[in-house]
Amino acid sequence: MQALASAAAKTLTQYLLRLTPYDMMRSSHDFEDVKAALNERTTWTIEVLRSVFAIRFANGGYFITPCSLLFLLMAETMHLHYGRLPPLELKKRVENMGYATFSILITIPDLGIIIVRVAGILAASPSLVLAAFLIFLSAAPSFILPLLIRMIRNPTAE
């Protein structure tokens, strides 16, 4: 059982690291590019979450409003805490924390966008079956297209 949990945690960590700037951080020497990418990413996340919060707050989304506010608070706090550091200080803090840990930490507000959107679909949908279909349909391009491309590039030998 412990081996299964360990394998699942390792797989989840590898999947999350593919969503992050992990490789860019590990290969960067001066961290100027990393800082610019993190600031751009965090600014985009803050803008998206602010728009979701404003729309849901005006429409009375009682579950989605606190969720979007929570992820917005996380994104703004990280932006204030890490976005203003000089590149070398940012690099030192990332190295102290660990590249993988920092990468996953930075990605949490981005995943919050997905969580808030899924919660919005569940709240707006009249049935769970329709909600599940819409969630699957919205997520399909991110996992079906890469699978199709992989199958086209590496056809099986018959």
Side-chain angles (χ1 to χ4, degrees), residues 31-110:
F31 253 55
E32 282 287 338
D33 54 344
V34 172
K35 181 179 178 182
L38 290 179
N39 281 338
E40 181 180 334
R41 181 182 183 136
T42 308
T43 301
W44 177 83
T45 302
I46 289 170
E47 288 175 10
V48 171
L49 288 169
R50 280 183 183 161
S51 69
V52 170
F53 173 71
I55 292 168
R56 290 297 174 185
F57 187 73
N59 293 337
Y62 298 110
F63 175 72
I64 299 164
T65 301
C67 284
S68 61
L69 190 58
L70 171 73
F71 290 115
L72 177 61
L73 180 63
M74 290 172 68
E76 288 177 336
T77 302
M78 281 190 250
H79 187 63
L80 288 173
H81 190 70
Y82 296 110
R84 297 180 181 192
L85 294 175
L88 293 177
E89 178 66 24
L90 177 64
K91 182 176 183 173
K92 189 165 58 170
R93 289 198 187 183
V94 169
E95 288 173 346
N96 286 339
M97 186 182 297
Y99 288 103
T101 303
F102 185 79
S103 296
I104 292 173
L105 177 71
I106 285 295
T107 305
I108 290 172
D110 296 344

Side-chain angles (χ1 to χ4, degrees), residues 85-153:
L85 294 175
L88 293 177
E89 178 66 24
L90 177 64
K91 182 176 183 173
K92 189 165 58 170
R93 289 198 187 183
V94 169
E95 288 173 346
N96 286 339
M97 186 182 297
Y99 288 103
T101 303
F102 185 79
S103 296
I104 292 173
L105 177 71
I106 285 295
T107 305
I108 290 172
D110 296 344
L111 294 174
I113 294 170
I114 297 168
I115 293 168
V116 168
R117 295 293 184 194
V118 167
I121 290 171
L122 287 171
S125 176
S127 74
L128 285 177
V129 174
L130 179 62
F133 176 73
L134 290 173
I135 292 167
F136 175 76
L137 192 63
S138 67
S142 67
F143 63 86
I144 289 179
L145 287 177
L147 182 63
L148 288 175
I149 291 170
R150 187 176 189 191
M151 289 172 52
I152 291 170
R153 286 186 182 167

